Amino acid sequence: MSEQPLLRVEQLSRYYGARPACVDVTFDLWPGEVMGVVGESGSGKTTLLNCLSARLKPDSGRVLYDTRHHGLTDIYGMSEAERRLLMRTDWGLVHQNPRDGLRLSVSAGANIGERLMAVGARHYGNIRQEAVSWLGRVEIDEERIDDQPRAFSGGMQQRLQIARNLVTKPRIVFMDEPTGGLDVSVQARLLDLLRELVSQLGLSVVVVTHDLAVVRLLAHRLMVMRQGRVVETGLTDQVLDDPQHPYTQLLVSSVLQA
Amino acid sequence: MSYNFAYLDEQTKRMLRRTILKAVAIPGYQVPFGAREMPMPHGWGTGGIQVTAAIIGADDTLKVIDQGADDTTNAVSIRQFFAKTAGVATTTRTEDASIIQTRHRIPEKKLHEGQILVYQVPIPEPLRWLEPRETETRKMHALSEYGAMHVRLYEDIATHGRIATAYDYPVQVNGRYIMRPSPIPKFDNPKMDMNPALQLFGAGREKRIYAVPPYTKVKSLDFDDYPFEVQTWEHSCALCGSEESFLDEIITSDQGDRMFVCSDSDYCQDRQTAGRREAAE
Amino acid sequence: MNDIAIEVGGLAKQFRLHTQGDVAIEVFRNLDFQVRFGECVALHGPSGCGKSTLLRALYANYTVGAGSIRVRHCGAWVDMANAEPRAVLSVRRHSMGYVSQFLRVIPRVPALEIVAEPLRLHGIDAAWARERASAMLARLNVPERLWNLAPATFSGGEQQRVNIARGFIAEMPILLLDEPTAALDAANRAIVADLILERKAAGTAIVGIFHDAEIREQVCDRMFEIEPFKVAA
């Protein structure tokens, strides 16, 4: 087991005016771990994700990332250049709406190849080959490599977004409701794919969702948020099978069984 | 009515010169400036004119070309503008000019030290095709986030089988900033590299000035397996026989007859004169 | 005498049901328990006494109010009741397997992959893992035509056999079994009993809940009674 967590979060807090959006969040994330964050609307889970993924500066607390060369570093203490480079290489960000995470007017192949070109890939043939390979891994027909994602279904767009993020072999991926808005059968396919990729690539993931089935399937660990606070945390199966906090018990008992 | 020398007031010229100095100090970087209203609309070279107005002196000799020709309406009116407001000498001969203002071409004849080439630029921002936000493109330049430029070239190859951009072909200056050279044909791009002359770029509507100092590396973007190539023609110039210059295609009849002629009129004229002299000898 | 695999000391478990007016249900208190490698212990007691709760607590699927659950892992001890999540995950991956009473069905994933997965997580080549999974499924009489189907549509008995195959394939040093033969016919019960005996002979520590007295007699060395540790109502 490695000595350093990949991500260390210390008393992260963020307010919107006087209203607490997320308060005092503390946890460590280790390589290969998937952390689920569940909560209903207004729980603060999306604010938390934005603070973790360097898109929203917290009001207090720290987010430390285990960089390749300098060890655990406060991401908000880095220069913007370093942070942006991190976001393009070591990190992935999967938006709920895939259109927010893709370049719609550019071909699928270029979408996947962009991150490679951004870090200096200069051989068209190799870039294209890599794109073909990734399309295969996310189960998109390679014939579609030159098509624009505008023409893809929601599920395909989401899978393309995932490929675009994973091509630079990030160590951690932040996901916001990755299956939101997709049909149930499409969701199942996407979750299956994510499970495989996470396992194959040894990814660490923070996945925010309101859907307990998603965390049951994907997450090793779980944090339950309510009104900005983490009310319960633990192994996913333990939190869902033996919930301690009243809110968690309510949440778990409210889920309809198919 | 009398004008201040070169039309603009001295404070404005000072502001422009400061901008130009900054541009020269950071090759390829777009410096914003407070553009003035000029007595011609945007799209007619107001950026280039303001740059020329800022640097021109009584001793200068000015040449103005438009698509390589000295005698188009645009070129003629700009030349007359400076003749009237600055009283400077003008010429059509490239080698005699100290300042050459150009729209969309670099002269065929090699430039020498001490000359200044002023380009008229419509859209200065190479990343604009991808990113409409100015705040974002500024950041991308500052952080050298240029992956998107190669995405453009990738798309060309994926669609056309080759890099299809023929004009305004993006370049990297001094190994750092990526720049649009203005709508010159890519044929002219190699001329920018290590040129002894100072190259200044003025965009009037977008209010940006940038520069390539003398003897600066300018490299056209490409892929390792799809290297940058210039245009070639099967024909030579119908008037002077040149096989090395950029040729315009001219339709000469309704039946579709055509001829290929040098775009650079001064260059072609010199060659024709030399050719006639040779024939006479 | 073999080494100790699991050492439980002073364990207490209580459920507090906030959704039912905060009613507290104490399950057991001051529970001590020990299992050695190579032995199979049956958790025993009347229905509702806490057998399943104890089994799940061993796996850290349930939390506990007090006490420790020390488990042998890579030459050291891990207290499942108090360890860091990543330590518990590591124990589950390498040292302790759990065969639940019902298969948790994951959509789309074929039975063969479900069974092969624990091996792949150990870094074993996918093709070889699938071969071992095939052998296991064949042994448990799961028809080959089902191997590439997702188990959602299987019968209860078929699902349970997939579950057992998955639980036994990685040959963990410690195994927890929750009613492994409940949904099976006599022939398949016998196969499972054989599997358990094989593992025991190989030195595995096994803790299980067996309602079937016959199986219990066949595979278990002793019974552990939970009742003495129950809290008086």
Side-chain angles (χ1 to χ4, degrees):
Chain A
M1 270 195 262
S2 57
E3 294 306 312
Q4 298 265 59
L6 193 59
L7 195 71
R8 166 159 287 165
V9 182
E10 292 174 350
Q11 278 148 315
L12 190 73
S13 298
R14 169 75 199 196
Y15 295 80
Y16 289 119
R19 187 169 70 78
C22 75
V23 181
D24 265 355
V25 179
T26 299
F27 68 94
D28 283 348
L29 189 70
W30 296 81
E33 274 186 358
V34 179
M35 171 72 91
V37 182
V38 293
E40 299 175 304
S41 307
S43 60
K45 59 190 196 294
T46 302
T47 303
L48 175 62
L49 192 74
N50 290 339
C51 289
L52 295 179
S53 56
R55 289 176 302 153
L56 186 65
K57 193 167 195 295
D59 292 317
S60 62
R62 297 196 301 167
V63 179
L64 301 153
Y65 173 73
D66 186 25
T67 58
R68 292 181 200 264
H69 301 295
H70 303 295
L72 277 175
T73 312
D74 183 348
I75 64 174
Y76 291 101
M78 293 176 187
S79 67
E80 183 165 11
E82 287 173 287
R83 231 190 343 266
R84 280 170 76 117
L85 182 62
L86 215 56
M87 286 167 88
R88 275 203 318 275
T89 52
D90 261 22
W91 288 4
L93 181 62
V94 176
H95 294 87
Q96 178 173 358
N97 187 339
R99 291 192 292 283
D100 293 333
L102 291 173
R103 296 211 192 271
L104 291 175
S105 53
V106 157
S107 71
N111 264 282
I112 296 176
E114 182 177 348
R115 276 188 160 201
L116 295 173
M117 291 184 254
V119 293
R122 288 291 176 265
H123 192 278
Y124 174 82
N126 292 347
I127 294 165
R128 195 175 172 85
Q129 203 39 55
E130 191 72 14
V132 166
S133 161
W134 271 100
L135 287 173
R137 287 178 93 155
V138 298
E139 295 177 31
I140 296 178
D141 186 356
E142 70 174 66
E143 303 279 300
R144 317 247 11 211
I145 186 173
D146 296 322
D147 292 347
Q148 290 188 1
R150 272 187 227 282
F152 291 3
S153 67
M156 253 170 109
Q157 285 180 348
Q158 194 57 299
R159 280 178 280 134
L160 182 64
Q161 195 196 172
I162 289 165
R164 178 177 158 86
N165 271 280
L166 297 185
V167 72
T168 44
K169 302 186 180 23
R171 294 157 81 207
I172 187 167
V173 181
F174 299 97
M175 296 191 199
D176 187 1
E177 305 276 7
T179 56
L182 299 176
D183 289 339
V184 174
S185 61
V186 177
Q187 279 188 33
R189 187 178 185 187
L190 189 73
L191 286 175
D192 185 29
L193 179 71
L194 283 172
R195 237 170 63 93
E196 266 301 305
L197 289 173
V198 166
S199 163
Q200 271 172 25
L201 302 172
L203 295 174
S204 295
V205 179
V206 179
V207 52
V208 157
T209 180
H210 66 279
D211 188 343
L212 295 183
V214 170
V215 293
R216 175 73 86 171
L217 203 63
L218 279 186
H220 302 105
R221 297 166 58 191
L222 188 59
M223 288 196 303
V224 180
M225 288 190 75
R226 178 169 188 259
Q227 292 177 353
R229 288 179 190 275
V230 177
V231 298
E232 189 160 353
T233 182
L235 297 168
T236 303
D237 64 289
Q238 175 252 301
V239 173
L240 294 179
D241 290 344
D242 188 18
Q244 301 297 301
H245 192 274
Y247 176 69
T248 316
Q249 289 187 0
L250 179 64
L251 208 59
V252 170
S253 64
S254 305
V255 176
L256 297 171
Q257 300 298 323
Chain B
M1 169 150 198
S2 76
Y3 297 97
N4 197 39
F5 184 82
Y7 184 79
L8 295 172
D9 59 275
E10 293 306 308
Q11 277 87 334
T12 300
K13 283 190 268 184
R14 208 172 293 144
M15 176 272 294
L16 281 162
R17 288 175 200 140
R18 266 190 234 115
T19 307
I20 293 167
L21 279 176
K22 188 166 179 181
V24 170
I26 314 171
Y29 169 71
Q30 300 164 52
V31 188
F33 74 104
R36 295 286 181 265
E37 287 300 324
M38 299 297 286
M40 67 285 287
H42 291 307
W44 290 86
T46 54
I49 292 165
Q50 285 174 85
V51 170
T52 301
I55 60 174
I56 202 161
D59 301 335
D60 277 303
T61 306
L62 176 70
K63 171 179 161 83
V64 184
I65 47 171
D66 175 7
Q67 304 267 42
D70 301 83
D71 57 356
T72 68
T73 313
N74 194 28
V76 166
S77 73
I78 294 174
R79 200 164 55 241
Q80 284 181 351
F81 173 82
F82 282 109
K84 182 165 188 177
T85 61
V88 291
T90 64
T91 180
T92 61
R93 298 176 60 75
T94 303
E95 61 271 39
D96 293 342
S98 57
I99 299 174
I100 303 166
Q101 179 164 333
T102 176
R103 177 176 171 272
H104 301 352
R105 281 246 41 222
I106 298 179
E108 301 290 351
K109 294 177 183 169
K110 273 195 168 5
L111 301 175
H112 53 77
E113 279 182 25
Q115 284 184 305
I116 303 178
L117 188 57
V118 178
Y119 297 74
Q120 293 171 207
V121 177
I123 309 281
E125 178 52 68
L127 297 164
R128 190 62 68 221
W129 71 278
L130 191 68
E131 180 53 68
R133 294 168 294 180
E134 176 65 21
T135 47
E136 190 58 23
T137 50
R138 288 236 198 127
K139 228 172 248 185
M140 289 162 89
H141 281 291
L143 302 175
S144 282
E145 283 180 16
Y146 288 133
M149 284 316 301
H150 275 90
V151 167
R152 171 73 172 265
L153 302 180
Y154 170 101
E155 285 292 85
D156 264 5
I157 299 171
T159 316
H160 306 291
R162 56 186 177 83
I163 299 174
T165 308
Y167 287 85
D168 207 0
Y169 191 105
V171 296
Q172 187 166 39
V173 179
N174 203 30
R176 179 56 180 89
Y177 284 95
I178 291 194
M179 179 189 101
R180 285 174 86 137
S182 81
I184 56 174
K186 67 174 180 173
F187 181 86
D188 283 345
N189 275 23
K191 298 188 181 74
M192 289 190 289
D193 185 37
M194 300 302 279
N195 197 313
L198 169 64
Q199 300 170 78
L200 300 177
F201 299 79
R205 175 178 20 220
E206 294 294 316
K207 305 177 183 23
R208 298 279 183 278
I209 289 173
Y210 44 103
V212 176
Y215 300 111
T216 303
K217 279 209 195 5
V218 177
K219 182 177 182 322
S220 300
L221 303 186
D222 60 7
F223 284 101
D224 295 342
D225 48 340
Y226 284 83
F228 174 76
E229 283 170 351
V230 295
Q231 297 122 314
T232 53
W233 286 260
E234 284 163 5
H235 305 80
S236 51
C237 172
L239 298 180
C240 75
S242 167
E243 289 174 344
E244 284 152 2
S245 64
F246 187 87
L247 302 180
D248 285 334
E249 187 178 350
I250 301 176
I251 312 291
T252 51
S253 79
D254 287 340
Q255 282 70 47
D257 296 325
R258 58 196 65 213
M259 63 191 244
F260 290 84
V261 171
C262 287
S263 123
D264 186 332
S265 49
D266 172 48
Y267 170 85
C268 194
Q269 196 57 248
D270 267 15
R271 282 184 56 94
Q272 288 174 53
T273 314
R276 277 196 291 277
R277 232 185 297 126
E278 258 177 46
E281 281 158 10
Chain C
M1 187 77 126
N2 282 342
D3 291 333
I4 299 174
I6 303 176
E7 174 114 67
V8 176
L11 209 64
K13 176 62 180 169
Q14 169 189 277
F15 288 108
R16 188 165 216 104
L17 304 180
H18 297 284
T19 50
Q20 289 179 28
D22 250 8
V23 59
I25 302 174
E26 286 221 53
V27 186
F28 46 70
R29 197 197 288 175
N30 285 328
L31 190 146
D32 297 324
F33 172 57
Q34 211 184 68
V35 184
R36 291 179 181 274
F37 286 111
E39 71 168 332
C40 176
V41 180
L43 300 181
H44 194 249
S47 188
C49 71
K51 302 188 291 293
S52 195
T53 301
L54 177 58
L55 199 68
R56 284 167 178 264
L58 295 179
Y59 198 61
N61 176 231
Y62 279 3
T63 57
V64 293
S68 65
I69 302 170
R70 287 166 12 110
V71 156
R72 200 85 188 131
H73 170 64
C74 297
W77 291 104
V78 175
D79 180 1
M80 297 293 273
N82 296 300
E84 291 273 306
R86 67 193 187 107
V88 172
L89 290 169
S90 182
V91 170
R92 288 180 176 183
R93 186 165 294 176
H94 299 290
S95 301
M96 190 153 76
Y98 178 85
V99 181
S100 54
Q101 196 170 356
F102 303 105
L103 175 70
R104 173 149 250 123
V105 177
I106 304 170
R108 283 176 37 107
V109 183
L112 196 66
E113 291 304 323
I114 289 176
V115 176
E117 192 179 23
L119 291 180
R120 282 191 297 115
L121 285 177
H122 281 180
I124 290 174
D125 163 57
W128 175 226
R130 274 199 293 276
E131 232 183 273
R132 295 256 300 266
S134 310
M136 191 60 106
L137 284 173
R139 182 161 177 192
L140 285 160
N141 285 332
V142 177
E144 198 171 332
R145 63 181 169 80
L146 294 181
W147 293 358
N148 284 315
L149 300 177
T153 51
F154 294 0
S155 71
E158 284 160 350
Q159 284 192 3
Q160 187 51 358
R161 277 174 280 149
V162 171
N163 204 15
I164 288 168
R166 178 190 166 86
F168 277 75
I169 197 167
E171 295 180 357
M172 302 276 205
I174 303 171
L175 262 184
L176 309 174
L177 308 175
D178 190 349
E179 305 272 17
T181 58
L184 306 182
D185 63 24
N188 285 319
R189 283 204 296 275
I191 296 171
V192 174
D194 277 341
L195 272 172
I196 295 173
L197 289 170
E198 265 170 38
R199 298 306 318 141
K200 193 164 66 142
T204 308
I206 304 177
V207 182
I209 301 170
F210 306 91
H211 268 142
D212 185 326
E214 202 185 312
I215 296 291
R216 197 168 60 226
E217 234 113 279
Q218 227 186 313
V219 304
C220 295
D221 299 303
R222 58 183 172 94
M223 298 203 294
F224 176 76
E225 297 290 342
I226 308 238
E227 276 270 54
F229 302 97
K230 250 184 94 61
V231 180

